[in-house]
Amino acid sequence: MNAFYETYLGIIKITYDRKIKKIQLVDEILEENLKSQMTDNVFLEIEQYLEGRRMQFTCFNHLEEIHEGFKKDVLDSLLKIPYGKTSTYKDIAKSIGRDKSYRAVGNALNSNPYPIIYPCHRVLGSDHKLKGFAYGLDTKKKLLDLENAKYRE
């Protein structure tokens, strides 16, 4: 099932069954909009974040668990990057004991099923410039600007 919510970033699509399977930004609503209490609760936290009223998420119990070893390690490391701060792909690779795997880190972040909640937008290139984001660098910049995070253009 899918629930859709409008934000200034665009339309957020939440795909779910018993738990949230994926959160995406989409251009339009092409399916039936089946909101639930669970999707409303998760979206409320995202909305509060986008309004600058939330710095940490607590809705993890509503998300389907990520079991893949490397990807799980990468996504879990994102939760250690504080609001308003950034890290690099290389730093993430080092933090999970895979020093040379910064490209693989980028690939794992590109397939992040829960953007914003798992803040892959806080990860920059080694030169601290905006690099890669599944929803475009403009969206990444908006999220970093919301947090007053420092980066280079």
Side-chain angles (χ1 to χ4, degrees), residues 78-121:
L78 297 176
L79 299 176
K80 296 174 184 166
I81 306 170
Y83 181 95
K85 302 292 181 190
T86 60
S87 188
T88 67
Y89 297 98
K90 199 173 194 175
D91 290 338
I92 298 288
K94 283 181 182 178
S95 77
I96 62 170
R98 303 280 296 270
D99 294 15
K100 306 263 190 236
S101 299
Y102 48 90
R103 286 181 193 229
V105 166
N107 290 334
L109 296 181
N110 191 47
S111 63
N112 176 1
Y114 311 117
I116 300 175
I117 294 172
Y118 281 84
C120 53
H121 60 276

Side-chain angles (χ1 to χ4, degrees), residues 35-137:
K35 294 178 180 175
S36 70
Q37 185 65 51
M38 177 178 60
T39 64
D40 286 349
N41 289 342
V42 171
F43 178 71
L44 176 63
E45 290 196 19
I46 293 170
E47 183 178 49
Q48 289 169 341
Y49 166 81
L50 293 174
E51 292 171 349
R53 297 185 297 123
R54 175 177 289 277
M55 293 200 248
Q56 292 183 333
F57 290 91
T58 61
C59 60
F60 298 100
N61 61 317
H62 292 307
L63 307 179
E64 196 168 87
E65 193 173 337
I66 299 161
H67 296 288
E68 302 166 44
F70 180 78
K71 184 176 179 179
K72 179 176 177 19
D73 291 345
V74 169
L75 294 180
D76 285 348
S77 73
L78 297 176
L79 299 176
K80 296 174 184 166
I81 306 170
Y83 181 95
K85 302 292 181 190
T86 60
S87 188
T88 67
Y89 297 98
K90 199 173 194 175
D91 290 338
I92 298 288
K94 283 181 182 178
S95 77
I96 62 170
R98 303 280 296 270
D99 294 15
K100 306 263 190 236
S101 299
Y102 48 90
R103 286 181 193 229
V105 166
N107 290 334
L109 296 181
N110 191 47
S111 63
N112 176 1
Y114 311 117
I116 300 175
I117 294 172
Y118 281 84
C120 53
H121 60 276
R122 295 180 187 153
V123 183
L124 306 171
S126 293
D127 55 2
H128 294 278
K129 288 186 178 179
L130 299 177
K131 302 269 197 268
F133 188 62
Y135 300 104
L137 295 183

Side-chain angles (χ1 to χ4, degrees), residues 1 16-21 36 38 61-64:
M1 293 179 276
Y16 69 101
D17 191 5
R18 290 186 194 112
K19 292 199 171 219
I20 306 291
K21 295 175 177 279
S36 70
M38 177 178 60
N61 61 317
H62 292 307
L63 307 179
E64 196 168 87

